[in-house]
Amino acid sequence: MKNRRKKPDWRPDCVGAVLLAPDVIAKRTAALGAKITRDYARRPLAGRDLVAVGVLRGASLFFADLLREIRLPLLVDFISASSYGKETKTTGEVKIVKDLQEPVRGRHVLLVEDVVDTGLTLTFLRKTLLARGARTVRICALLDKPRKRRVKIRADYVGFTLPDRFVIGYGLDYEERYRNLPYVATPR
Ligand code: IMP
Ligand code: MG
């Protein structure tokens, strides 16, 4: 259509620099989806149910976009975990606040997270799902902040590696706000 300008992105006062624009995220998400499709279509991952698990709430936007790029039959489920105890605790206790509805025994699980930061949440979730009999548990994270790691864990699929900086948008919050920004940005 002629003279149809792209709507400018919503840019509230809270936003500092936009680090990952919507088209950058979309392109990377498509590449991740293609890689995941290839990997799960062949051995040793093929031939079993795949359950894609979105980790609430941060991964919600990324999860919805990634799922559309995975061209395989799969089941969709959600889990939500929260860490309790003091930030400084090295044990990093994590609890499940909303559990899966699907059984994972004998199935492949793809955990989809917004960011691997200290790594405590994903370490706990992976351990828990393997203990329930999941055949494999792989991790796909939109963002990786390796500088903040407190436990050794690597995501199998990573969208972008960022320095240790707090970011908002595209699912990521600051005090439960700004998750609906269509890009990843630093707060002002
Ligand atoms: P961790 O890897 O156990 O430290 O937990 C990662 C969780 O911390 C993520 O799922 C986010 O909810 C939150 N988080 C870490 N870094 C950021 C950030 O930069 N912005 C918003 N939330 C973050
Ligand atoms: Mg989160």
Side-chain angles (χ1 to χ4, degrees), residues 83-93 120 150:
S83 32
Y84 59 109
K86 286 269 165 293
E87 248 282 312
T88 49
K89 250 193 187 162
T90 42
T91 49
E93 289 152 277
L120 293 169
R150 282 161 61 188

mmCIF file of all heavy atoms in Angstrom, residues 83-93 120 150:
data_model
loop_
_atom_site.group_PDB
_atom_site.id
_atom_site.type_symbol
_atom_site.label_atom_id
_atom_site.label_comp_id
_atom_site.label_asym_id
_atom_site.label_seq_id
_atom_site.Cartn_x
_atom_site.Cartn_y
_atom_site.Cartn_z
ATOM 1 N N SER A 83 12.194 -17.348 43.077
ATOM 2 C CA SER A 83 13.230 -17.619 44.060
ATOM 3 C C SER A 83 12.805 -16.982 45.367
ATOM 4 O O SER A 83 12.200 -15.924 45.395
ATOM 5 C CB SER A 83 14.564 -17.061 43.597
ATOM 6 O OG SER A 83 14.372 -15.911 42.835
ATOM 7 N N TYR A 84 13.088 -17.666 46.424
ATOM 8 C CA TYR A 84 12.781 -17.083 47.731
ATOM 9 C C TYR A 84 14.043 -17.094 48.564
ATOM 10 O O TYR A 84 15.071 -17.620 48.151
ATOM 11 C CB TYR A 84 11.614 -17.783 48.416
ATOM 12 C CG TYR A 84 11.770 -19.252 48.688
ATOM 13 C CD1 TYR A 84 11.939 -19.710 49.994
ATOM 14 C CD2 TYR A 84 11.725 -20.192 47.666
ATOM 15 C CE1 TYR A 84 12.043 -21.061 50.244
ATOM 16 C CE2 TYR A 84 11.835 -21.544 47.921
ATOM 17 C CZ TYR A 84 11.992 -21.976 49.214
ATOM 18 O OH TYR A 84 12.110 -23.301 49.468
ATOM 19 N N GLY A 85 13.977 -16.488 49.712
ATOM 20 C CA GLY A 85 15.193 -16.303 50.491
ATOM 21 C C GLY A 85 15.897 -15.072 49.973
ATOM 22 O O GLY A 85 15.466 -14.451 48.998
ATOM 23 N N LYS A 86 16.950 -14.734 50.593
ATOM 24 C CA LYS A 86 17.679 -13.511 50.238
ATOM 25 C C LYS A 86 18.469 -13.681 48.948
ATOM 26 O O LYS A 86 18.988 -14.745 48.654
ATOM 27 C CB LYS A 86 18.633 -13.132 51.372
ATOM 28 C CG LYS A 86 17.920 -12.550 52.587
ATOM 29 C CD LYS A 86 17.822 -11.035 52.483
ATOM 30 C CE LYS A 86 16.832 -10.436 53.447
ATOM 31 N NZ LYS A 86 15.424 -10.777 53.199
ATOM 32 N N GLU A 87 18.532 -12.626 48.178
ATOM 33 C CA GLU A 87 19.324 -12.565 46.943
ATOM 34 C C GLU A 87 20.747 -13.087 47.148
ATOM 35 O O GLU A 87 21.345 -13.671 46.262
ATOM 36 C CB GLU A 87 19.410 -11.106 46.495
ATOM 37 C CG GLU A 87 18.660 -10.788 45.216
ATOM 38 C CD GLU A 87 19.409 -11.237 43.973
ATOM 39 O OE1 GLU A 87 20.596 -10.953 43.887
ATOM 40 O OE2 GLU A 87 18.773 -11.872 43.107
ATOM 41 N N THR A 88 21.247 -12.822 48.347
ATOM 42 C CA THR A 88 22.645 -13.145 48.644
ATOM 43 C C THR A 88 22.867 -14.631 48.938
ATOM 44 O O THR A 88 23.997 -15.076 48.990
ATOM 45 C CB THR A 88 23.105 -12.346 49.868
ATOM 46 O OG1 THR A 88 22.127 -12.495 50.889
ATOM 47 C CG2 THR A 88 23.266 -10.868 49.539
ATOM 48 N N LYS A 89 21.758 -15.352 49.154
ATOM 49 C CA LYS A 89 21.893 -16.770 49.483
ATOM 50 C C LYS A 89 22.505 -17.559 48.334
ATOM 51 O O LYS A 89 21.998 -17.508 47.221
ATOM 52 C CB LYS A 89 20.513 -17.354 49.815
ATOM 53 C CG LYS A 89 20.334 -17.702 51.271
ATOM 54 C CD LYS A 89 19.100 -18.554 51.444
ATOM 55 C CE LYS A 89 18.817 -18.752 52.912
ATOM 56 N NZ LYS A 89 17.445 -19.184 53.138
ATOM 57 N N THR A 90 23.541 -18.296 48.618
ATOM 58 C CA THR A 90 24.186 -19.040 47.536
ATOM 59 C C THR A 90 23.442 -20.327 47.203
ATOM 60 O O THR A 90 23.633 -20.898 46.144
ATOM 61 C CB THR A 90 25.646 -19.390 47.898
ATOM 62 O OG1 THR A 90 25.691 -19.808 49.234
ATOM 63 C CG2 THR A 90 26.564 -18.210 47.662
ATOM 64 N N THR A 91 22.596 -20.780 48.118
ATOM 65 C CA THR A 91 21.820 -21.989 47.827
ATOM 66 C C THR A 91 20.787 -21.686 46.751
ATOM 67 O O THR A 91 20.392 -22.572 46.003
ATOM 68 C CB THR A 91 21.081 -22.496 49.083
ATOM 69 O OG1 THR A 91 20.401 -21.391 49.659
ATOM 70 C CG2 THR A 91 22.035 -23.100 50.074
ATOM 71 N N GLY A 92 20.349 -20.419 46.662
ATOM 72 C CA GLY A 92 19.390 -20.011 45.641
ATOM 73 C C GLY A 92 18.157 -20.868 45.609
ATOM 74 O O GLY A 92 17.887 -21.565 44.642
ATOM 75 N N GLU A 93 17.408 -20.827 46.688
ATOM 76 C CA GLU A 93 16.218 -21.672 46.732
ATOM 77 C C GLU A 93 15.164 -21.155 45.760
ATOM 78 O O GLU A 93 14.894 -19.971 45.692
ATOM 79 C CB GLU A 93 15.661 -21.692 48.146
ATOM 80 C CG GLU A 93 16.555 -22.468 49.092
ATOM 81 C CD GLU A 93 16.437 -21.972 50.507
ATOM 82 O OE1 GLU A 93 17.102 -20.986 50.834
ATOM 83 O OE2 GLU A 93 15.653 -22.571 51.258
ATOM 84 N N LEU A 120 20.141 -19.918 38.520
ATOM 85 C CA LEU A 120 19.531 -20.699 39.605
ATOM 86 C C LEU A 120 18.151 -21.233 39.221
ATOM 87 O O LEU A 120 17.833 -22.392 39.481
ATOM 88 C CB LEU A 120 19.437 -19.843 40.878
ATOM 89 C CG LEU A 120 20.789 -19.464 41.506
ATOM 90 C CD1 LEU A 120 20.617 -18.406 42.584
ATOM 91 C CD2 LEU A 120 21.473 -20.706 42.084
ATOM 92 N N ARG A 150 25.922 -17.844 38.786
ATOM 93 C CA ARG A 150 26.372 -18.353 40.085
ATOM 94 C C ARG A 150 26.440 -19.870 40.097
ATOM 95 O O ARG A 150 27.028 -20.461 40.985
ATOM 96 C CB ARG A 150 25.434 -17.865 41.187
ATOM 97 C CG ARG A 150 25.737 -16.407 41.560
ATOM 98 C CD ARG A 150 24.588 -15.760 42.273
ATOM 99 N NE ARG A 150 24.265 -16.424 43.518
ATOM 100 C CZ ARG A 150 23.191 -16.130 44.254
ATOM 101 N NH1 ARG A 150 22.371 -15.203 43.855
ATOM 102 N NH2 ARG A 150 22.962 -16.767 45.375
#
